[in-house]
């Protein structure tokens, strides 16, 4: 059975070793940073491409973000996603508003004849970590949802979902259509090929501008936590540091 | 108005993260001038419910229903949403465990209320004010939380558990939530067990030795494994290593990997990206081994050895053997 899949991803900065904020404390200073999506979402994209390779069907990637988020959509298409939807928003939406905008886009797709069997979310977004957008979308569409997944297999109009728990995995079997929120470790995403990147440039990208709703969770300011800023005590250079390290291990009660 | 706390229980008592959530909730309820109530799920919750007076709970609601026998996230959410409507609490506060977080997101979706995940501070008001974790704890956000009922989860291990100043006896009240068929479509139907090979798990290890991109190859992990074994600890890795395919993702420490809290953490050839540090903030001591004295990991460690890990790590393992022999 062919499957129609939608993947939701969020553009976030690659912060490196230290976070610097803009002077108004509303955002991360990104002038010198590259951008990416969460590793959880990367695994969702990879899984969608594999499922379509395996079962046939088609895949779509969607993001709500600034015009520059086209970069993340093209990246996903370079890995094999067929088409993209960009919901333009200059500012971050909270979880409720994000879900609402995504649901409206899915309903517009349905009106245009595209129905999704499976919708992939990351377990949580890399930056906001609201842990809710996928679940809210599932409720609005009246579909079952499982989260924290490290295994997703489609068979006979259902999806078998494996969730990592201490000591093992819990299994859920959901009838399609369904919503899944996945975690890194689900698979090992491929690297984009050069032809894949070339093809991605020509794949269709549709842009919409959702209405901005008021925020129920309203950001006041960001704060960088007090840096541990310990500046390490240097125990030595090279192998000569061995005895000093053993002394620290003794103090830690390990030896 | 009351503050309702979702309490997860194990072995007849609330688990650690639920005790942390109860501690934060008590402060919130005192400031709001109302009692703390609890909700527990499952027929086996009664024993845990009765003991909650020590943590300041006045009434403990125990939800009992066949549909709650196997874990079903939406059924938990429905149960919370029903209590939200019946009790009209000022706030619902849950621990930031995976299940409680998931249940709160379902409740928020059903009740159409905002939800603030992973709070470390919260003060009542309209709106309430919260401080919450972003980026797995590498960044904090101060926010206003709106809604007729304030829904929030408490970041694990961010609040120190305090007993109630005036412990009392909790009244236990059983109820049967009205679940819909759709609420139990997603439910755990089976559990598979993972064979850990008898080794110490990354999350519980007292010592963790992690290799980063600086290790250079899958084979390069042999000395890292030897040092971890000498310490009776576990091997970790960075995401650069996972995506290179040198180690499985189950070894990854960080925001999208495992969060660890060992006595000593030894990252070797790891630069110390914020997303990596988000996974090892709980370590008592960090001892970094890196060729670059200016790597961020050095600024975030207690101790450092500057040098090539391929020389330093075997030298430490040999020194341990010598110390043990002598
Ligand atoms: C949303 C998101 C989530 C992420 N989640 C995680 C996560 O969970 N865990 C994680 O680890 N990363 C995560 N990352 C990736 C993270 O940003 C970094 O890219 C990654 O941690 C870098 O890995 P590394 O330190 O091994 O490699 P590098 O940054 O390349 O650092 C290699 C280090 O090794 C040192 N070195 C080189 N050779 C030697 C030698 N011979 N001896 C000693 N030292 C040497 C170098 O000086 C350098 O400091 C995430 C990123 C994003 C955007
Ligand atoms: N702005 C966005 N655009 C598209 N998808 C999003 C956006 N924000 C969140 N999501 C999706 O919802 C998941 C959970 O996000 P959150 O609830 O913020 O933790 C993410 O991993 C994404 O899959």
């Amino acid at each position: 059975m062919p499957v129609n899949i939608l993947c939701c991803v969020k553009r976030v900065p690659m912060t490196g070793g230290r976070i610097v904020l803009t002077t108004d404390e509303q955002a991360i200073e990104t002038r010198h940073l590259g951008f990416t999506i969460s590793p959880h979402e990367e695994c969702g994209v990879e899984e969608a491409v594999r499922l379509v390779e395996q079962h046939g069907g088609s895949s779509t990637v969607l993001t709500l973000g600034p015009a520059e988020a086209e970069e993340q959509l093209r990246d996903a298409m370079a890995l094999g996603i067929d088409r993209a939807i960009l919901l333009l928003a200059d500012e971050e939406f909270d979880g409720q508003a994000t879900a609402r905008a995504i649901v409206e886009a899915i309903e517009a797709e349905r009106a245009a004849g595209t129905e999704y069997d499976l919708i992939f979310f990351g377990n949580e977004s890399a930056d906001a970590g609201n842990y809710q957008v996928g679940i809210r979308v599932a409720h609005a569409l009246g579909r079952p949802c499982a989260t924290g997944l490290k295994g997703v297999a489609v068979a006979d109009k259902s999806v078998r979902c494996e969730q990592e728990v201490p000591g093992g995995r819990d299994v859920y079997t959901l009838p399609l259509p369904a919503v899944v929120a996945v975690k890194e470790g689900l698979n090992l995403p491929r690297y984009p090929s050069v032809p894949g990147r070339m093809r991605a440039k020509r794949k269709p990208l549709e842009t919409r501008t959702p209405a901005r709703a008021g925020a129920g969770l309203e950001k006041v300011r960001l704060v960088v936590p007090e840096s541990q800023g310990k500046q390490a005590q240097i125990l030595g250079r090279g192998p000569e540091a061995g005895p000093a390290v053993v002394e620290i291990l003794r103090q830690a009660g390990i030896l | 108005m009351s503050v309702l706390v979702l309490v997860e229980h194990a072995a007849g008592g609330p688990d650690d993260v639920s005790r942390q959530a109860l501690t934060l909730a008590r402060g919130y309820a005192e400031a709001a001038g109302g009692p703390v109530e609890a909700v527990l799920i499952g027929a086996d919750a009664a024993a845990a419910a009765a003991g909650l007076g020590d943590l300041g709970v006045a009434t403990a609601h125990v939800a009992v229903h066949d549909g709650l026998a196997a874990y079903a996230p939406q059924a938990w959410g429905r149960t919370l949403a029903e209590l939200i409507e019946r009790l009209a609490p000022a706030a619902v506060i849950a621990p930031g465990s995976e299940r409680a977080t998931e249940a709160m997101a379902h409740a928020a979706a059903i009740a159409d209320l905002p939800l603030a995940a992973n709070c470390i501070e919260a003060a009542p008001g309209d709106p309430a004010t919260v401080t919450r974790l972003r980026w797995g704890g590498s960044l904090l956000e101060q926010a206003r939380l709106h809604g007729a009922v304030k829904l929030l989860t408490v970041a694990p291990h961010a609040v120190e558990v305090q007993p109630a100043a005036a412990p009392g006896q909790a009244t236990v009240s059983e109820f049967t939530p009205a679940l819909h068929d759709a609420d139990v479509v997603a439910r755990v139907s089976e559990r598979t067990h993972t064979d850990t090979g008898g080794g110490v798990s990354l999350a519980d290890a007292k010592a963790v030795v992690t290799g980063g991109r600086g290790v250079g190859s899958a084979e390069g992990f042999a000395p890292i494994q030897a040092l971890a074994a000498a310490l009776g600890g576990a091997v970790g890795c960075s995401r650069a290593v996972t995506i290179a395919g040198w180690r499985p993702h189950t070894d990854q420490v960080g925001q999208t990997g495992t969060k660890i809290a060992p006595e000593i953490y030894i990252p070797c050839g790891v630069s110390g990206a914020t997303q990596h540090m988000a996974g090892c903030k709980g370590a008592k001591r960090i001892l970094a081994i890196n060729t670059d004295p200016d790597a961020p990991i050095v600024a975030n460690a207690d101790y450092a050895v500057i040098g090539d890990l391929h020389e330093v790590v075997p030298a430490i393992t040999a020194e341990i053997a010598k110390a043990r022999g002598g």
Side-chain angles (χ1 to χ4, degrees):
Chain A
M1 183 199 80
V3 280
N4 260 346
I5 304 181
L6 178 69
C7 288
C8 295
V9 304
K10 185 178 185 187
R11 172 182 165 96
V12 298
M14 266 188 284
T15 53
R18 214 162 70 88
I19 292 180
V20 179
L21 298 181
T22 54
T23 44
D24 65 3
E25 299 174 313
Q26 292 298 306
I28 291 176
E29 177 54 74
T30 55
R31 250 178 305 177
H32 307 293
L33 301 181
F35 288 81
T36 185
I37 61 173
S38 163
H40 297 327
E41 297 156 14
E42 279 180 36
C43 287
V45 166
E46 173 66 28
E47 199 68 22
V49 172
R50 288 187 194 184
L51 285 171
V52 170
E53 283 168 352
Q54 198 186 334
H55 299 273
S58 77
S59 55
T60 304
V61 61
L62 176 151
T63 195
L64 171 98
E68 294 78 10
E70 176 174 347
E71 183 191 352
Q72 280 61 49
L73 298 176
R74 298 274 174 215
D75 285 350
M77 290 192 284
L79 297 179
I81 297 281
D82 301 317
R83 60 187 274 267
I85 301 171
L86 172 58
L87 305 180
L88 273 178
D90 283 336
E91 274 177 81
E92 188 180 45
F93 283 22
D94 76 348
Q96 242 176 330
T98 303
R100 211 167 284 143
I102 292 174
V103 168
E104 274 168 21
I106 292 171
E107 277 164 358
E109 288 278 292
R110 179 187 292 155
T114 304
E115 188 79 63
Y116 295 107
D117 303 304
L118 200 51
I119 307 178
F120 276 88
F121 287 89
N123 193 62
E124 79 275 3
S125 55
D127 57 348
N130 290 317
Y131 291 82
Q132 57 188 256
V133 170
I135 292 171
R136 287 189 191 272
V137 170
H139 275 269
L141 301 176
R143 296 182 179 192
C145 172
T147 71
L149 304 183
K150 295 217 176 164
V152 171
V154 171
D156 301 334
K157 291 203 162 275
S158 70
V159 55
R160 182 187 152 96
C161 304
E162 295 184 12
Q163 179 184 53
E164 210 163 51
V165 293
R169 286 179 170 207
D170 277 351
V171 180
Y172 301 73
T173 303
L174 310 182
L176 295 178
V179 172
V180 291
V182 301
K183 278 193 173 177
E184 189 181 18
L186 175 68
N187 52 42
L188 191 57
R190 70 195 72 186
Y191 287 100
S193 64
V194 175
R197 288 214 170 276
M198 297 307 291
R199 274 196 298 276
K201 287 187 186 158
R202 296 187 302 269
K203 287 184 178 175
L205 186 150
E206 213 177 291
T207 301
R208 301 169 196 276
T209 307
R212 161 141 196 154
L217 179 65
E218 188 194 347
K219 178 172 66 194
V220 177
R221 60 191 276 257
L222 300 175
V223 182
V224 177
E226 257 168 66
S227 143
Q228 295 166 356
K230 296 167 181 165
Q231 203 51 49
Q233 174 191 340
I234 306 292
L235 298 176
R237 290 180 180 266
E240 74 185 45
V245 171
V246 166
E247 186 47 38
I248 298 298
L249 294 171
R250 278 220 184 84
Q251 287 172 19
I254 296 294
L255 290 182
Chain B
M1 280 201 294
S2 63
V3 172
L4 181 66
V5 184
L6 173 59
V7 172
E8 292 184 291
H9 52 99
D15 63 10
D16 279 347
V17 286
S18 296
R19 287 148 50 87
Q20 295 160 15
L22 280 163
T23 302
L24 184 135
R26 235 174 25 242
Y28 192 100
E30 270 160 29
V36 176
E37 303 194 8
V39 50
L40 298 89
I41 297 189
D44 56 341
L52 290 177
D54 291 347
L55 288 155
V57 173
T59 308
H61 304 270
V62 175
V64 182
H65 191 294
D66 286 348
L68 296 167
Y71 176 64
Q74 188 171 318
W76 281 45
R78 183 77 57 192
T79 301
L80 291 174
E82 182 178 312
L83 279 181
I84 288 171
E85 219 178 285
R86 174 148 65 85
L87 305 174
V92 183
I93 299 181
S97 66
E98 294 189 347
R99 285 200 166 170
T101 301
E102 183 181 33
M104 287 291 277
H106 279 281
I110 294 167
D112 197 21
L113 287 167
L115 164 66
N118 280 319
C119 297
I120 59 170
E121 292 170 335
D126 214 357
T129 54
V130 300
T131 303
R132 60 182 294 272
L133 307 186
R134 291 173 73 98
W135 285 100
S138 302
L139 188 59
L140 304 179
E141 172 185 2
Q142 294 174 352
R144 297 190 189 103
L145 175 59
H146 297 266
V149 180
K150 312 299 186 288
L151 305 187
L152 59 108
T153 72
V154 181
H157 311 297
V159 175
E160 204 182 317
V161 175
Q162 309 278 352
Q169 193 67 39
T171 305
V172 177
S173 153
E174 251 188 37
F175 75 107
T176 302
L179 301 182
H180 308 187
D181 290 346
D183 297 336
V184 294
V185 169
R187 66 170 186 284
V188 175
S189 55
E190 183 189 328
R191 170 164 295 183
T192 64
H193 291 275
T194 308
D195 184 11
T196 54
V200 48
S201 84
L202 186 56
D204 300 329
K206 289 211 163 10
V208 175
V209 186
T210 278
R213 196 195 307 273
V215 172
S217 65
E219 303 72 50
F221 268 83
I224 303 277
Q225 281 171 292
L227 177 56
L231 299 174
V235 172
C237 74
S238 71
R239 179 162 189 257
V241 167
T242 314
I243 57 181
W246 301 342
R247 300 288 301 178
H249 179 265
T250 44
D251 282 359
Q252 184 175 312
V253 172
Q255 185 178 332
T256 52
T258 301
K259 304 211 167 36
I260 59 169
E263 291 295 315
I264 189 150
Y265 184 52
I266 310 182
C268 310
V270 173
S271 63
T274 52
Q275 299 88 9
H276 186 82
M277 300 315 290
C280 62
K281 280 195 166 58
K284 286 248 176 61
R285 303 171 182 77
I286 300 179
L287 191 168
I289 301 172
N290 202 299
T291 43
D292 178 6
D294 297 323
I297 190 83
V298 176
N300 285 297
D302 302 281
Y303 311 100
V305 176
I306 306 305
D308 184 341
L309 70 94
H310 301 288
E311 295 168 12
V312 175
V313 172
I316 296 170
T317 310
E319 197 66 31
I320 292 169
K322 212 163 83 189
R324 287 221 168 100

